[in-house]
């Protein structure tokens, strides 16, 4: 991630995050109500230091079903305290007693249950609420000053390092696959590598716009997301009104999630985007060979409900993010994580 530009310059403060699971709290917001009846038994869990897929497998055993009968809206970090809903397909069966399941798994609590007429699917959530405790800060006041900037102006909407695998391995593998060095038949690996390829190219375009001071400034041909309008707006001519809409948050400049179809951008914006992504010809080839469809993603991310509190050399900050956005993108603008020898990889699962 050090290859990508910071919106407010690289932080000078060093610190740590996730020293304890309680330093990273995530609460899922599905954004819809359950029907109260149906084939699917809904279970809201709070897990501490546990992997989502492990909990899914154990819950399946407790409910007497196969793991494939349990689904979720989003994976959550292992080294954290996280709350999320799981759905268990139990047609024609009563709600199971989960007392023994809870007793055998001290890192898991059952907070609530319900019934619904549809199973949860990946992506079936509005977003997540985070509470993060940043500790061992050598310049806590600088972190607070940066939080104030983030609250007002947002952060780059980068895909976090966990999207790219340990040491960026998913991107390395994606390049090799694009170079026809091997074939990938496993569906999950295909998904990881393709997702990493598209995310890396998006981050490159975003970083370049920050570097050239064009992240807040419209280019001719830009593709905008306008509030209240599901259709993208192409900027045929940059006007003061359009620039004002972007500044007020009524419209968002987007960058490409590359596909095999042509960019919707035109003129200066199209030339800019292509000049960046063509620096990774193997990733482009892989995306096109697999017939990925082009999508757009806003350049900037503005956390909601942002609050913070300083305590000597630590800062606790909370905020809400929409689905698909990364808490690590916020933390990256606040501090540099201090390297710790033999530190466990605490970012194996996406915090999105």
């Amino acid at each position: 991630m050090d290859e990508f530009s910071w919106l407010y310059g690289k932080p000078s403060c060093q610190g740590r995050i996730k020293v304890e699971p309680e330093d990273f709290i995530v609460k899922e917001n599905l954004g819809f109500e359950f029907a109260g009846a149906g084939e699917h038994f809904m279970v809201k869990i709070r897990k501490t230091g546990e992997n989502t897929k492990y909990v899914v497998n154990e819950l399946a055993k407790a409910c007497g079903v196969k793991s494939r009968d349990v689904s979720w809206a989003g994976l959550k970090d292992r080294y954290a305290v996280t709350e999320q809903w799981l759905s268990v397909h139990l047609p024609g069966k009563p709600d199971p007693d989960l007392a023994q399941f809870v007793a055998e798994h001290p890192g898991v609590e059952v907070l609530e249950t319900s019934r619904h007429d549809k199973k949860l699917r990946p992506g079936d959530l509005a977003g997540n609420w985070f509470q993060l405790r940043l500790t061992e800060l050598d310049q806590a006041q600088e972190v607070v000053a940066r939080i104030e900037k983030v609250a007002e102006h947002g952060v780059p909407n980068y895909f976090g390092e966990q999207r790219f695998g340990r040491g960026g391995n998913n991107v390395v593998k994606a390049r090799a696959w694009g170079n026809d060095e091997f074939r990938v038949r496993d569906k999950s690996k295909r998904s990881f590598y393709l997702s990493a390829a598209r995310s890396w190219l998006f981050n490159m375009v975003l970083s370049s716009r920050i570097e050239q001071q064009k992240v807040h400034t419209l280019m001719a041909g830009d593709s905008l997301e306008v509030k209240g309008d599901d259709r993208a707006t192409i900027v045929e001519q940059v006007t003061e009104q359009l620039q004002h809409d972007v500044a007020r948050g009524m419209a968002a400049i987007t960058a490409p999630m590359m596909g095999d179809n042509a960019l919707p951008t035109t003129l200066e914006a199209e030339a800019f985007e292509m000049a960046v992504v063509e620096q990774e010809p193997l990733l482009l080839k892989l995306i096109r060979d697999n017939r990925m469809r082009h999508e757009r993603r806003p350049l900037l991310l503005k956390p909601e409900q942002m609050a913070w509190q300083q305590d000597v050399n630590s800062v606790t900050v909370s905020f809400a993010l929409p689905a698909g956005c990364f808490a690590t993108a916020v933390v990256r603008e606040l501090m540099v994580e201090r390297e710790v020898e033999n530190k466990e990889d605490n970012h194996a699962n996406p915090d999105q």
Side-chain angles (χ1 to χ4, degrees):
M1 293 297 292
D2 282 352
E3 295 188 30
F4 303 126
S5 303
W6 284 264
L7 188 58
Y8 308 106
K10 185 174 181 177
S12 58
C13 176
Q14 292 193 353
R16 294 184 65 193
I17 188 172
K18 294 188 177 183
V19 174
E20 302 294 339
E22 291 76 13
D23 293 341
F24 200 100
I25 297 173
V26 188
K27 296 183 180 181
E28 188 176 72
N29 173 25
L30 291 180
F32 62 88
E33 299 294 328
F34 298 133
E39 296 184 349
H40 302 276
F41 177 54
M42 317 301 287
V43 185
K44 186 177 185 181
I45 63 165
R46 179 191 292 128
K47 61 182 184 63
T48 302
E50 297 288 3
N51 177 284
T52 300
K53 290 185 177 179
Y54 168 76
V55 175
V56 163
N57 291 337
E58 294 302 297
L59 180 61
K61 294 176 187 176
C63 295
V65 299
K66 297 185 182 299
S67 294
R68 65 170 178 264
D69 295 319
V70 183
S71 56
W72 59 89
L75 295 175
K76 298 292 184 286
D77 290 66
R78 176 186 176 186
Y79 201 77
V81 178
T82 67
E83 294 181 10
Q84 69 181 117
W85 284 95
L86 303 174
S87 68
V88 186
H89 192 212
L90 290 174
K93 296 180 181 179
D95 293 357
D97 183 353
L98 297 178
Q100 187 65 28
F101 165 72
V102 172
E104 293 176 353
H105 300 88
V108 182
E109 302 169 68
V110 173
L111 304 179
E112 190 179 345
T113 62
S114 185
R115 282 276 179 167
H116 196 46
D117 53 4
K118 295 182 180 65
K119 77 172 188 177
L120 289 176
R121 299 178 184 276
D124 280 351
L125 74 164
N128 295 291
W129 179 85
F130 299 87
Q131 180 178 290
L132 313 180
R133 185 166 179 261
L134 312 179
T135 60
E136 300 178 28
L137 301 173
D138 56 15
Q139 298 179 56
Q141 195 54 47
E142 189 210 347
V143 171
V144 171
R146 282 177 167 263
I147 289 174
E148 291 171 350
K149 289 181 180 179
V150 168
E152 184 174 0
H153 301 294
V155 298
N157 194 17
Y158 284 128
F159 288 94
E161 61 186 12
Q162 54 270 56
R163 175 60 61 93
F164 307 116
R166 190 191 298 268
N169 185 62
N170 289 348
V171 180
V172 173
K173 290 288 189 180
R175 291 191 187 109
W177 182 14
N179 199 35
D180 298 323
E181 294 176 22
F182 62 90
R183 292 184 179 181
V184 182
R185 292 184 173 86
D186 183 272
K187 288 185 178 180
S188 62
K189 288 184 177 180
R190 290 177 68 92
S191 177
F192 285 146
Y193 300 157
L194 288 168
S195 178
R198 300 175 83 205
S199 301
W200 188 261
L201 294 179
F202 172 89
N203 280 10
M204 287 178 62
V205 173
L206 171 52
S207 180
S208 294
R209 288 194 72 139
I210 294 172
E211 185 180 353
Q212 298 190 29
Q213 299 184 346
K214 293 181 178 180
V215 73
H216 295 108
T217 305
L218 283 170
M219 293 183 187
D222 260 329
S223 178
L224 300 183
E225 281 187 8
V226 179
K227 281 191 175 180
D229 191 345
D230 293 335
R231 297 170 300 176
T233 297
I234 303 301
V235 178
E236 296 180 2
Q237 183 177 357
V238 176
T239 65
E240 288 187 12
Q241 182 59 54
L242 280 175
Q243 188 62 65
H244 184 60
D245 288 345
V246 169
R248 290 191 306 137
M250 299 304 295
I253 306 171
T254 65
M257 296 293 293
M258 293 300 296
D260 68 341
N261 46 330
L263 291 176
T265 46
T266 61
L267 306 170
E268 181 188 4
E270 179 187 16
F272 182 93
E273 292 175 355
M274 289 307 301
V276 174
V277 299
E278 284 176 345
Q279 296 172 33
E280 288 279 4
L282 296 178
L283 297 185
L284 271 182
K285 177 180 178 295
L286 177 66
I287 290 166
R288 289 166 175 165
D289 286 350
N290 283 272
R291 305 301 301 273
M292 304 293 289
R293 299 300 294 170
H294 182 92
E295 299 172 313
R296 305 295 294 185
R297 177 180 171 95
L299 293 175
L300 297 177
L301 166 65
K302 193 167 184 180
E304 301 289 340
Q305 305 166 36
M306 204 161 191
W308 57 92
Q309 181 176 343
Q310 181 183 349
D311 182 15
V312 190
N313 66 342
S314 70
V315 173
T316 300
V317 57
S318 61
F319 50 85
L321 299 180
C325 297
F326 290 74
T328 49
V330 178
V331 175
R332 185 176 183 272
E333 289 289 332
L334 305 181
M335 71 171 201
V336 174
E337 190 169 3
R338 184 179 292 113
E339 293 293 332
V340 179
E341 289 186 10
N342 300 321
K343 181 185 175 185
E344 180 183 356
D345 179 12
N346 295 331
H347 304 292
N349 291 328
D351 56 338
Q352 60 183 55

